[in-house]
Amino acid sequence: ALQRETLIWLGDVSLELGRPRQAQGYFQRLAALTAHEKDSSAEASARYSLARAFLDGVADAPRPGYKAEAIALFRRALAKADEARNSTMQARSHWLLSLLLSGAEAEKHLHLCLQVAETVRDRSLCLNALTRHLSGTDPRRAREVSQESLALAHQAGDSLGMAYVWRVRMRAS
């Protein structure tokens, strides 16, 4: 348990310090440890954190093929989350896959995100992705969905979620 907590802490701190590659290493070690321990739920969280660290690392300097690699990482996290029935990691993996993919595949992940989201925060994230998806085709509906997402983020006390909603709303207007 101490080794897990240490790896989580080191990964999170590395991300906060702007060292996503270093964080990836810690989360990779955590994923290997939890896989060895056959703890699918913890492995799903570790794999999700690994994928998020990867995205943070390429955000400033995208490279060819990064999107396909990110999609593969999130699909692996989703597979573990499905295996463990970890609804939080399912929702968050579907959320990011809906943002990375397009068309029918993105829509499928949006709907699945909304189906499995059990917490107010996760539901807000899913609705925020739906707002982004609708902004190009149905601006009126996008505004309505963004209002609901903003209310849920506020209810959850999720200031980062509220910032995401406002960012998407500004892009949509």
Side-chain angles (χ1 to χ4, degrees), residues 70-140:
I71 290 167
L73 287 168
F74 281 110
R75 282 186 171 144
R76 191 161 183 198
L78 177 59
K80 276 294 159 186
D82 286 345
E83 179 183 310
R85 294 190 173 108
N86 182 331
S87 63
T88 296
M89 291 302 104
Q90 286 174 314
R92 292 181 186 182
S93 295
H94 282 303
W95 165 61
L96 281 167
L97 283 166
S98 76
L99 297 174
L100 290 167
L101 297 164
S102 59
E105 204 171 1
E107 286 180 29
K108 177 186 90 170
H109 286 288
L110 280 169
H111 293 294
L112 290 169
C113 184
L114 288 164
Q115 276 184 333
V116 299
E118 291 182 351
T119 68
V120 172
R121 183 174 192 267
D122 288 343
R123 184 144 179 86
S124 175
L125 288 172
C126 298
L127 289 171
N128 191 41
L130 180 58
T131 299
R132 187 172 173 174
H133 184 74
L134 290 171
S135 65
T137 58
D138 191 348
R140 185 188 60 74

Side-chain angles (χ1 to χ4, degrees), residues 128-166:
N128 191 41
L130 180 58
T131 299
R132 187 172 173 174
H133 184 74
L134 290 171
S135 65
T137 58
D138 191 348
R140 185 188 60 74
R141 177 75 178 121
R143 281 189 299 280
E144 291 169 2
V145 172
S146 75
Q147 278 301 115
E148 185 180 353
S149 179
L150 186 60
L152 290 173
H154 184 72
Q155 181 183 339
D158 182 8
S159 54
L160 187 57
M162 287 185 267
Y164 283 145
V165 173
W166 284 110

